[in-house]
Amino acid sequence: MPHLYVNGRFLTRRMTGVERFAYNTCKAMAAMGYEFTIVCPHATIAEGYDVSDLHVVHYGRGNSHFWEQCVLPFYLLSKRDSVLCSFTGLGSIPVSHKVMTIHDLSFLENPRWFSKPYYWWYKLMTPLAARTSRRIITVSKFSKGEIQRFYPFIPDETIHVAHPAADTQHFTRLTNLQPPAERFALAVSSLDPRKNFARLVEAFQGINGCKLYIAGNANRVFGEGEGTTMSENVKWLGRVSDDELLRLYNQAECFIFPSIYEGFGIPPVEAMACGCPVIASDIPVVCEVCGDAALYFTPTDPQSIHDTICHYLEHSDTLKPQLREKGFSRCQRYSWEKTAKAVMEAVEKA
C-alpha cells in the first residue's frame, strides 16, 4: 500500500470539532499500528495536542491556506508512492493522489451563516478539491446524502462514512462529584447561527428551578449574529477546558443540543458517555446519531423546545434513568478505532 501522509495543518490550530476529529483519528490509527507521517508547518503546535506517539515532520512556514495549497504539495513531489489525507477540509488541490474529508456543506445550505470570504472560498474550492480526490471521507450518512445532493458528479462508491466518537477515556461517568450548587441544563457548541442558541434562550424563559449553562465561544468565520439577549436564568461560560466540560456533563440535569444543521455532532455522544440525558433537535443527522437515546423537539419552534424541556424536568425521576441507560448503549456504537478503520479502507482504495 502507498505510504500515507496526513495534512498536519490542524495541529497548529486550536482544537474544535474538525481538529478533534483529525487528532483522535490519527491517535487511533497510531495505536492500531498503521504507519503514516503527519506533515506539519514550522509553527507552534497548539495546546492540547500530544504528538509524542505520532510521526510528525515539519515542512515550510506559516499555517494558512497558502501553506496547504502551495507549500505542502512541494513536500510530496518526490514521494512517488504516496497518498495524502486531509481530515479537516480541502487538502491540497494540486495533489492528485489524495483523500479529502467533507464534514458538512452548511455553507451551501445557508450562506448567511458564514462570512462572505469564508463562503466564497469554500464554495469555489470544495468542488475543485472533490474532483481531484480519489476518495472522500464524511462523518454521517446524512452528510453523504448532502454531498450527493450538492455535488452529483461525485460517484457514490467513492464516498466513505467514518463516524466520529467521544473520547471515552476522558468523557465518562464520575461517581465522586459533589452535587452542583444549582440545578442546570447544559448546552455546548460554538455560538454561530446554525447552532440555534437564540431560540434556545428564548425557550428557556419562564422555566423555573433550572438554569441554562452555555459553553462555547463565538467564531469570526460566522456571519449573522445570534442576537441573543441576557437572561437571569442563562449563564454564558465561554470556552471551557475538557476537564471542566467533563464535570459539567456529569453534574448537568440534561444536555440540550438545539442545532439546525450538523455534519454529525460529537457533543451529544460525549454527554451520553457521561450519563447525561440528551434533549435534541429533531433533524435527520441528530436522529441518526442519537436514535432512541434522546428526547426530540422542533428546533425552529421555541415553544416546542420549551415544552420538551419542561416535560423532561417534570418527569426527570422517570426519564433520567431511561435516557441515561439508552445513552450508554448508544454511544458504544461509536469509537475512534472504528473511525480509523473506515478511514484506512478509504485510503486503501484510493
Side-chain angles (χ1 to χ4, degrees), residues 66-276:
F66 180 82
W67 179 87
E68 193 172 62
Q69 300 301 330
C70 300
V71 178
L72 178 57
F74 278 97
Y75 179 85
L76 298 168
L77 278 178
S78 61
K79 310 297 188 293
R80 301 288 182 183
D81 192 23
S82 65
V83 176
L84 174 66
C85 190
S86 293
F87 291 126
T88 59
L90 296 173
S92 302
I93 290 175
V95 178
S96 60
H97 203 177
K98 68 175 180 291
V99 175
M100 72 175 292
T101 303
I102 298 177
H103 287 264
D104 65 63
L105 293 173
S106 52
F107 62 93
L108 295 178
E109 176 67 17
N110 191 334
R112 293 178 300 171
W113 290 337
F114 300 89
S115 66
K116 288 183 179 180
Y118 183 97
Y119 166 72
W120 282 108
W121 172 259
Y122 282 95
K123 179 180 172 63
L124 294 172
M125 300 294 279
T126 302
L128 287 174
R131 287 183 185 276
T132 57
S133 295
R134 301 288 182 89
R135 296 280 159 169
I136 291 173
I137 296 166
T138 193
V139 292
S140 63
K141 292 179 181 178
F142 169 78
S143 283
K144 179 176 180 178
E146 292 291 271
I147 293 168
Q148 293 171 317
R149 175 163 74 100
F150 284 108
Y151 302 135
F153 61 85
I154 301 177
D156 175 85
E157 65 273 10
T158 65
I159 307 173
H160 297 251
V161 175
H163 292 118
D167 180 2
T168 52
Q169 290 186 341
H170 179 77
F171 292 108
T172 186
R173 183 69 180 156
L174 302 179
T175 58
N176 58 347
L177 286 178
Q178 294 294 322
E182 59 186 358
R183 195 182 191 198
F184 69 92
L186 177 67
V188 177
S189 188
S190 55
L191 303 183
D192 70 279
R194 66 191 173 108
K195 304 301 184 180
N196 203 31
F197 283 112
R199 289 192 182 97
L200 176 59
V201 170
E202 179 183 349
F204 229 82
Q205 305 308 308
I207 294 180
N208 297 317
C210 186
K211 296 287 184 70
L212 172 64
Y213 288 9
I214 299 177
N217 282 346
N219 190 312
R220 63 183 175 84
V221 305
F222 301 121
E224 294 179 350
E226 275 288 84
T228 52
T229 56
M230 296 302 292
S231 170
E232 62 181 13
N233 65 342
V234 177
K235 185 174 181 179
W236 301 88
L237 303 179
R239 183 174 175 83
V240 300
S241 67
D242 279 358
D243 287 342
E244 178 67 4
L245 184 56
L246 172 64
R247 182 189 66 80
L248 290 167
Y249 278 138
N250 273 272
Q251 291 185 323
E253 189 69 26
C254 60
F255 175 76
I256 306 175
F257 195 65
S259 188
I260 297 172
Y261 188 99
E262 290 288 337
F264 181 83
I266 294 177
V269 182
E270 292 176 342
M272 289 188 288
C274 294
C276 185

Side-chain angles (χ1 to χ4, degrees), residues 254-257 277-282 286 290-297 307-313 315 319-320 322-323 326:
C254 60
F255 175 76
I256 306 175
F257 195 65
V278 173
I279 304 175
S281 294
D282 188 3
V286 177
C290 297
D292 67 349
L295 292 182
Y296 294 100
F297 52 73
D307 291 347
T308 306
I309 295 170
C310 287
H311 174 74
Y312 170 80
L313 293 175
H315 300 89
L319 291 174
K320 181 182 283 189
Q322 292 177 357
L323 289 173
K326 289 180 178 179

Side-chain angles (χ1 to χ4, degrees), residues 21-34 36 53-54 335-341 344:
F21 175 84
Y23 174 65
N24 285 325
T25 299
C26 287
K27 296 288 279 188
M29 288 164 53
M32 296 168 71
Y34 293 115
F36 61 98
D53 58 340
L54 301 176
S335 73
W336 290 112
E337 290 75 16
K338 291 179 181 178
T339 309
K341 288 180 181 178
M344 291 308 299

